[in-house]
Amino acid sequence: MFKKRKAFTLVELIVVIVLLGILTAMALPRFLDLSSQALNEAEDEVFDALKIATRTIMLQNILQLSPAEDEAWPRDNPFTLIDNPPPNKNWTEPDAIGTQDDHNWRYRHFPAYTEWWFYCPHWNGRLGSKRPVDAKGKWVIYCYGNLSPGGRKIGEWRKQFPTLSH
């Protein structure tokens, strides 16, 4: 009556492949959105760790040394203040100037403005106010003195450019 089959037919295989393709097309955008969200949250955690470290040092300085608050904020690179800093390098190093680096956080010190600027690893914008529309990543400014030209307050951490896309 019926023949015993030992394999799938070509039509059955094509149907399975099409179904897998449809499932992949539905799941991929959700996965990519989760990846982008996770990356943003990881960046924010590093920024939060830097904020907490600078505030902790400021409070310790006030308790131990009793200076005015504007003198208590740490002037050192905040990456040196956290226990397990992410890989980082100075923006002015030859291989870091204005280039995207998916592994290292970058920083730049502006002593004349009493500021530190920090860039996430995938920042691909330029330094300064003229940023490309398709810039990725974010950067923040930490102000530790009263010479900041941007109206930033002492001890303030200001996010300058939120993530547009990844």
Side-chain angles (χ1 to χ4, degrees):
M1 259 205 234
F2 293 106
K3 275 169 97 180
K4 265 190 162 178
R5 292 189 310 180
K6 292 185 180 183
F8 294 106
T9 65
L10 183 59
V11 173
E12 291 171 330
L13 289 174
I14 290 175
V15 167
V16 169
I17 291 171
V18 167
L19 288 174
L20 287 174
I22 292 170
L23 289 174
T24 302
M26 290 171 51
L28 192 60
R30 289 184 184 169
F31 173 74
L32 293 176
D33 186 46
L34 288 176
S35 298
S36 177
Q37 184 180 357
L39 185 60
N40 281 328
E41 289 176 11
E43 291 169 0
D44 288 341
E45 285 181 18
V46 171
F47 290 137
D48 289 343
L50 293 171
K51 289 178 199 177
I52 290 168
T54 54
R55 185 150 184 85
T56 301
I57 296 298
M58 183 274 295
L59 293 172
Q60 287 174 351
N61 287 343
I62 286 178
L63 290 173
Q64 294 172 358
L65 307 173
S66 300
E69 183 178 345
D70 62 338
E71 295 294 319
W73 287 96
R75 286 154 167 63
D76 297 333
N77 181 348
F79 276 127
T80 64
L81 305 177
I82 56 179
D83 291 333
N84 295 311
N88 62 80
K89 61 182 166 182
N90 193 322
W91 181 279
T92 58
E93 292 177 20
D95 62 338
I97 297 174
T99 59
Q100 182 175 350
D101 177 350
D102 289 332
H103 303 291
N104 291 291
W105 286 77
R106 283 157 301 157
Y107 59 86
R108 187 157 187 195
H109 187 213
F110 291 93
Y113 301 149
T114 60
E115 294 178 344
W116 284 92
W117 293 16
F118 299 91
Y119 303 84
C120 70
H122 62 279
W123 169 256
N124 69 347
R126 294 182 295 232
L127 185 64
S129 61
K130 296 181 180 178
R131 294 180 291 279
V133 175
D134 64 343
K136 295 179 182 179
K138 53 183 111 170
W139 56 291
V140 296
I141 295 176
Y142 161 60
C143 177
Y144 61 84
N146 57 8
L147 302 176
S148 175
R152 289 176 277 282
K153 298 176 184 155
I154 298 170
E156 179 181 2
W157 283 83
R158 185 178 293 179
K159 190 183 298 181
Q160 292 299 111
F161 195 69
T163 300
L164 293 177
S165 61
H166 286 283

